[in-house]
Amino acid sequence: MALVSNSGKVKAVVMTNRGAGYTSPPTVSFAAGGGTGAAGASLVGLNNTDGNYLTVHLQSSAVLKSGTGNMFLANGDITGNGFNYVVLYGRNGGIWHEVSRT
């Protein structure tokens, strides 16, 4: 289920059924609703985040929000422009912490 802003942009996606048994990341797509340009990505194998690094490439207009769920960004929210990368480190029982951004 997509959460859409008043201006019609996808703000977030809520998983309604996570599935099981994936050995590679499934494709994420957005359909219907009349909009264009939304993009998403999936990850597999992040059940135990402690001690793991995760690099996120932010496509244009994607926003990574600090304090949302289990993510803390040292320098606040970041809005993608297609060239942004954020490196996160998992610790404290599954909380992602920002290590760096470009």
Side-chain angles (χ1 to χ4, degrees), residues 1 5 17 21 24 28 38 64-65 78 83 88 90 92 96 100 102:
M1 171 176 65
S5 71
N17 183 341
S24 63
V28 176
L64 199 57
K65 292 199 166 281
I78 183 171
F83 301 100
L88 304 169
N92 301 331
W96 292 103
S100 66
T102 58

Side-chain angles (χ1 to χ4, degrees), residues 6-54:
N6 291 337
S7 63
K9 294 182 179 180
V10 175
K11 294 174 24 175
V13 177
V14 177
M15 296 291 296
T16 56
N17 183 341
R18 295 176 186 222
Y22 291 100
T23 57
S24 63
T27 301
V28 176
S29 63
F30 295 85
T36 62
S42 62
L43 302 169
V44 173
L46 294 175
N47 289 334
N48 183 2
T49 61
D50 285 1
N52 290 311
Y53 287 91
L54 171 66

Side-chain angles (χ1 to χ4, degrees), residues 77-89:
D77 300 347
I78 183 171
T79 300
N81 62 12
F83 301 100
N84 302 90
Y85 289 86
V86 177
V87 178
L88 304 169
Y89 180 72

Side-chain angles (χ1 to χ4, degrees), residues 47-83:
N47 289 334
N48 183 2
T49 61
D50 285 1
N52 290 311
Y53 287 91
L54 171 66
T55 300
V56 179
H57 176 203
L58 295 170
Q59 301 293 325
S60 60
S61 75
V63 178
L64 199 57
K65 292 199 166 281
S66 183
T68 303
N70 59 349
M71 185 174 312
F72 294 95
L73 304 174
N75 298 305
D77 300 347
I78 183 171
T79 300
N81 62 12
F83 301 100

